[in-house]
């Protein structure tokens, strides 16, 4: 088909325009762009072309409403994904051979605060227009954008032309003309009368014209671009305000603008930002930022927590260790996905009907993806800063650690021992970043988002890169103490414990053991209003239920690993054990060799408990919500401790109000389950509609492969037992959510998230006590979903389990999973309506303060239906 620019002389310069051509004009003014658009649009109209005009910028309209073009108004303020989707919806509907005019794309960089995102938009759009054999006019401002935008535009488009004026005449200099005569690429053309363009070949004239054109020179990367320009302007405003040359409200305006560019778009988090952070804080982030975009929820939580403490308690702030961190901006993630062909695969994940399709392909592409050279340069500079000090790369997505959605454990974080040559250390960093990017598309992360109706939310993955807090002991590197803290204590194992006083969980070494449930080891749980109160009754039990393995970085092996505490302290005698261990007494009553990690030195001889209680209270008051934190503790040279506050996020606690529980006398024949100790969650009285019971003795006989299959079956039952429809109790042997099938049932949380009560039957190993073994990520899920956790010890006289109730009543397993006949003896699904009759129900009466829970058959009048429904 015949295609023209509407200017015969320009057609000759181009050596012909062809279907599929994308033509990008670098202009100094919209009037110059409009002078080129109008002849092109008039020619398209004369030839009967379908002409589509995308209107989104703040400049004057290029084509009037009555011109005859389809005008589609798209708002880039709705976000990058929404803008791309709306533009592409129009393109797909129009199909082949349409003609397009876009407003000046530079306005997109202004709205999105990122040259990089402008480049990303072009990379997504230009190839599709090419495939559909369209012809499209774009424009960007000259000498305005950095290489983040210019490089992808230049690499992707068919035409890139520099347009400028000299002595009031318009010149066109082709920079790229794809599949045409190369002579056109190196010649300047002047627009003369009518539609005639004349080439300029005399060197003296060419030199004069280029000298006057403000050509940026060879070092194109030195051009500021939008991101750098706005930060330089912010620095000038800050300096002028401090010097009294600028009103304070000007600084506030710049701060609010940058806060949305760098810190968050969430209004609740921005309210905290407004109160506690400053323009100076944001400028400090810029100096440590790889790429551009937002720093993400985890990084923001750390920055806010420190600022809150500094504001309210400067003395406590002095006990905080100075963090040493870099921020990999969220737009680096988008650029990586687009450049490695993952963008459209990821878009499928927005659809609840098919959000898991293609995740394996997407993750594979991510794991083998490449980064742009300018990002590699910044990665290398960051590594040069760290030297060979260990660091951790932590996920910090836009939705993480915000109100309502903790994403605890859904995305990965990776420790890097950071040993080896410069090239080896860079490759290790790249592999780590790819790994965490891939975790953004894992099944557990996507299911979490789907469950909360967040698949269509803008979820970019920023990263927080932090020097690992700790000390080097020989070839081992670790902090003395790692831990997590909750301002509201869901572990209430004694009536003296005040849930609102908070709780901390402590481990020796890296804090991974405080947050993940990896093996059969234990942590130290400290109720902050009763730090000496322990579940154990004597030192033998303390030893039995204390931490035995330590996580650390092995610098000689260049990896994260773990080892036995006794081995580590023998090989590292310089570890200050007086802070973390206690010794028992032997038979003669003298100090013996028995040694356990108790942290008594820290708890008894320092203000640590008071500091943590105060810290958690300050953070909860600022957030107006319970919080949980991650931290490390190290001993300074002056033998005083320093707390490194690593993370802070809202803790979604439901049902924290006190309730009055009735006194109920249960007849022996009505008892089903009774548990004492290991009750986690608010007290409650609710009706139970369904039990799912995994028979412990039969599960113990299963090979490991079959245990994983059983976990998947439970996930299927879970999906068919919606909390909104019925209240379900799940009972099984060992630890729920363990990574080791020999310790329990290896379910993912998404496979049990519809239950209301979760019960662990302690029969896998006699020495497992579940109340101190719950990993924090797993606990966060329970707390968010208001799931009551309890453990029963069948060998203890006070605990009780009527297994006959589950074995002797009808099993509904095959009604829910007709293909699960092989599991009918092991998995029992009992609906109470079939077991108790119409006049009775199964009731759960749980008193967390007394650490008692009873499940029993009762008359329906015992349960208030409205209260029961609300409790679900």
């Amino acid at each position: 088909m015949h295609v023209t620019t509407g200017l015969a002389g320009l057609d000759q310069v181009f050596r012909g325009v062809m279907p599929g051509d994308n033509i990008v004009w670098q202009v100094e003014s919209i009037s110059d762009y409009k002078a080129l658009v109008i002849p092109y649009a008039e020619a398209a109209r004369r030839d009967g072309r379908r002409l589509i005009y995308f209107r989104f910028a703040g400049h004057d309209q290029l084509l009037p409403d009555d011109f005859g073009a389809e005008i589609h108004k798209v708002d880039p303020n709705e976000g990058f994904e929404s803008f791309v989707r709306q533009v592409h919806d129009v393109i797909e509907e129009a199909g082949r051979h349409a003609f397009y005019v876009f407003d000046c794309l530079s306005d997109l960089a202004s709205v999105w605060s990122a040259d990089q995102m402008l480049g990303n938009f072009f990379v997504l759009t230009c190839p599709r227009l090419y495939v559909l054999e369209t012809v499209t006019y774009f424009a960007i401002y000259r000498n305005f954008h950095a290489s983040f935008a210019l490089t992808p535009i230049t690499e992707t488009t068919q035409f890139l032309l520099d347009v400028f004026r000299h002595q009031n005449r318009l010149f066109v200099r082709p920079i790229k003309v794809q599949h045409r005569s190369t002579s056109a690429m190196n010649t300047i053309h002047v627009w003369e009368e009518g539609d005639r363009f004349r080439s300029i070949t005399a060197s003296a004239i060419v030199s004069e014209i280029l000298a006057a054109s403000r050509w940026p020179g060879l070092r194109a990367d030195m051009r500021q671009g939008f991101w750098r320009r706005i930060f330089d302007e912010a620095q000038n405003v800050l300096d002028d305000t401090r010097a009294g040359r600028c009103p304070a409200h000007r600084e506030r305006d710049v701060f609010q603008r940058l806060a949305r560019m760098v810190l968050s778009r969430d209004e609740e988090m921005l309210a905290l930002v407004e109160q506690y952070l400053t323009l100076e804080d944001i400028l400090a982030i810029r100096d440590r930022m790889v790429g551009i975009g937002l720093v993400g929820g985890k990084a923001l939580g750390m920055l806010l927590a420190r600022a809150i403490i500094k504001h309210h308690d400067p003395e406590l702030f002095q006990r905080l260790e100075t963090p040493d961190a870099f921020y990999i901006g969220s737009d680096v993630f988008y650029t990586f996905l687009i450049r490695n062909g993952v963008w459209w695969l990821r878009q499928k994940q927005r659809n609840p009907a098919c959000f898991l399709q293609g995740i394996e392909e997407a993750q594979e592409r991510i794991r083998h993806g490449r980064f742009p050279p300018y990002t590699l340069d910044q990665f290398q500079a960051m590594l040069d800063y760290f030297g060979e000090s260990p660091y951790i790369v932590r996920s910090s997505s836009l939705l993480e650690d915000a109100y309502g959605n903790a994403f605890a454990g859904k995305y990965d974080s990776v420790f890097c021992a950071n040993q080896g040559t410069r090239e080896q250390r860079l490759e290790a960093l790249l592999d780590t970043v790819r790994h965490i990017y891939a975790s953004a598309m894992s099944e557990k992360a996507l299911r979490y988002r789907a469950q909360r109706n967040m698949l269509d939310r803008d979820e970019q993955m920023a990263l927080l890169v932090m020097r690992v807090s700790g000390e080097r002991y020989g070839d081992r590197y670790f902090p003395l103490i790692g831990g997590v803290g909750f301002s509201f204590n869901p572990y209430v194992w004694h009536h003296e414990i005040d849930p609102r006083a908070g709780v901390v969980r402590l481990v020796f070494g890296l804090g991974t053991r405080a947050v993940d449930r990896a093996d059969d080891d234990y942590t130290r749980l400290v109720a902050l209003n009763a730090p000496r109160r322990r579940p154990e009754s004597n030192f033998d039990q303390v030893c039995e239920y204390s931490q035995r393995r330590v996580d650390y970085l092995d610098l000689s092996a260049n990896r994260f690993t773990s080892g036995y505490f006794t081995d580590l302290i023998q090989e590292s005698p310089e570890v200050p054990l007086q802070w973390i261990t206690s010794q028992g007494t032997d038979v003669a009553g003298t100090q013996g060799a028995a040694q356990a990690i108790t942290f008594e030195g820290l708890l008894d001889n320092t203000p640590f408990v008071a500091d943590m209680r105060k810290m958690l209270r300050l953070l909860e008051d600022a957030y107006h919500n319970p919080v949980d934190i991650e931290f490390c503790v190290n001993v300074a040279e002056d033998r005083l401790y320093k707390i490194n506050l690593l993370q802070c996020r809202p803790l979604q606690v439901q049902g924290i109000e006190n309730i009055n529980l009735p006194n109920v006398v249960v007849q022996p024949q009505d008892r089903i389950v009774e548990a004492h100790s290991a009750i986690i969650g608010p007290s409650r009285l609710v009706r139970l509609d369904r039990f799912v019971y995994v028979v412990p003795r039969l599960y113990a006989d299963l090979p490991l492969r079959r245990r994983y299959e059983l976990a998947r079956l439970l996930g299927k039952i879970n999906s068919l037992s919606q909390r909104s429809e019925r209240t379900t109790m799940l009972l099984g042997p060992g630890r729920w959510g363990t990574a080791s099938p020999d310790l329990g049932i290896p379910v993912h949380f998404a496979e049990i998230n519809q239950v209301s009560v979760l019960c662990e039957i302690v029969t896998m190993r006699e020495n497992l006590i579940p109340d101190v073994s719950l990993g924090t990520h797993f606990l966060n899920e329970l707390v968010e979903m208001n799931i009551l956790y309890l453990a029963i010890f069948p060998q203890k006289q006070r605990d009780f389990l009527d297994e006959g109730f589950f074995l002797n009543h009808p099993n509904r397993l095959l009604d829910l999973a007709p293909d699960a006949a092989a599991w009918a003896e092991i998995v029992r699904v009992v609906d109470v309506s079939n077991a108790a009759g119409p006049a009775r129900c199964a009731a759960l009466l749980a008193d967390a303060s007394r650490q008692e829970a009873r499940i029993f058959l009762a008359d329906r009048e015992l349960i208030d239906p409205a209260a029961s429904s609300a409790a679900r």
Side-chain angles (χ1 to χ4, degrees), residues 89 198 201 223 249 356 547 599 628 653 717 724 737 750 869:
D89 285 347
R198 178 173 60 87
T201 57
R223 287 177 286 184
H249 72 82
L356 294 180
Q547 180 184 351
F599 304 101
D628 79 86
V653 179
I717 298 171
S724 59
S869 176

Side-chain angles (χ1 to χ4, degrees), residues 386-403:
F386 279 130
E388 289 191 87
S389 294
Y391 61 86
I392 180 173
V393 184
R394 313 191 75 188
S395 67
S396 184
S397 81
L398 268 58
L399 299 180
E400 263 186 287
D401 291 5
Y403 288 91

Side-chain angles (χ1 to χ4, degrees), residues 54-55 325 334 391 449 546 550 553 635 639 683 772:
F54 283 111
R55 176 72 175 140
Y334 268 171
Y391 61 86
R449 291 175 60 191
S546 67
V550 182
L553 295 173
V635 181
R639 312 307 295 170
S683 301
V772 294

Side-chain angles (χ1 to χ4, degrees), residues 227-504:
W227 185 265
R228 181 176 169 188
R229 185 183 302 113
I230 194 171
F231 271 101
D232 285 351
E233 292 172 358
Q235 184 67 61
N236 293 334
V237 169
L238 180 64
D239 294 341
D240 289 345
T241 303
R242 298 293 183 268
R245 298 188 298 267
C246 181
H249 72 82
R250 174 63 178 147
E251 179 183 342
R252 176 56 52 186
D253 292 343
V254 173
F255 168 78
Q256 291 174 341
R257 182 185 185 190
L258 283 180
R260 289 183 176 273
M261 288 173 54
V262 179
L263 299 179
S264 181
R265 299 179 191 140
D266 182 272
E267 295 300 330
E268 289 184 281
M269 298 304 293
L270 283 170
L272 288 172
V273 167
E274 186 86 14
Q275 186 174 358
Y276 291 105
L277 296 179
T278 66
L279 181 57
E280 195 169 4
D281 294 324
I282 298 179
L283 292 173
I285 292 171
R286 169 202 60 181
D287 295 337
R288 286 176 166 261
M289 195 162 196
V290 174
I292 58 177
L294 294 159
V295 298
K298 194 168 290 181
L300 177 59
M302 178 198 69
L303 293 166
L304 275 173
R306 295 180 56 83
I308 290 167
I309 295 168
K310 182 178 182 180
H311 179 84
H312 290 290
D313 196 328
E315 182 180 350
L316 178 59
F317 181 76
Q318 292 303 312
R319 281 198 276 280
L320 296 185
E321 183 177 330
T322 302
D324 199 357
F326 288 83
Y327 313 91
I328 300 178
S330 57
D331 288 352
V332 177
F333 175 65
Y334 268 171
T335 301
F336 180 83
L337 297 187
I338 291 168
R339 301 297 172 84
N340 290 285
V342 185
W343 177 268
W344 297 116
L345 290 172
R346 186 171 183 266
Q347 291 304 296
K348 295 179 181 179
Q349 297 166 2
R350 303 173 69 92
N351 185 344
C354 60
F355 69 96
L356 294 180
Q357 293 180 12
I359 61 174
E360 295 85 1
E361 181 182 355
Q363 289 183 315
E364 187 66 17
R365 291 188 185 183
I366 289 173
R367 293 189 186 101
H368 294 90
R370 295 180 178 273
F371 293 89
Y374 51 81
T375 301
L376 293 176
D377 290 344
Q378 291 185 294
F379 281 161
Q380 187 65 72
M382 179 178 66
L383 283 181
D384 290 344
Y385 172 86
F386 279 130
E388 289 191 87
S389 294
Y391 61 86
I392 180 173
V393 184
R394 313 191 75 188
S395 67
S396 184
S397 81
L398 268 58
L399 299 180
E400 263 186 287
D401 291 5
Y403 288 91
N405 302 289
F407 280 83
K410 296 299 173 288
Y411 303 136
D412 292 344
S413 294
V414 179
F415 283 99
C416 293
N418 194 30
Q419 307 298 293
T421 66
R422 195 167 183 256
E423 293 76 18
Q424 289 170 333
R425 290 186 289 113
L426 177 60
E427 193 55 42
L429 171 63
L430 299 181
D431 286 343
T432 297
V433 173
R434 295 184 191 109
H435 176 89
I436 299 174
Y437 281 176
S439 76
M441 299 184 192
S442 68
E443 180 175 346
K444 66 178 179 180
L446 291 172
R447 286 194 181 278
Y448 183 90
R449 291 175 60 191
Q451 179 186 336
R452 287 158 174 77
N453 297 316
M454 299 169 65
L455 288 173
D456 61 344
R457 294 278 299 276
D458 189 5
E459 176 65 329
Q460 292 172 254
M461 179 60 75
L463 300 174
L464 175 62
V465 185
M466 306 179 73
R467 186 188 300 275
V468 176
S469 180
E471 181 83 32
R472 181 166 183 163
Y473 301 96
D475 287 332
R476 296 174 175 85
Y477 188 97
F478 54 87
L480 188 64
I481 299 165
V484 295
F486 300 88
S487 64
F488 180 86
N489 183 3
Y491 304 90
V492 181
W493 64 85
H494 192 274
H495 64 85
E496 292 182 0
I497 294 174
D498 178 8
R500 296 185 179 276
V503 63
V504 294

Side-chain angles (χ1 to χ4, degrees), residues 101-113:
V101 174
F102 279 70
D103 273 350
C104 181
L105 300 181
S106 296
D107 276 37
L108 297 178
S110 299
V111 172
W112 296 331
S113 308

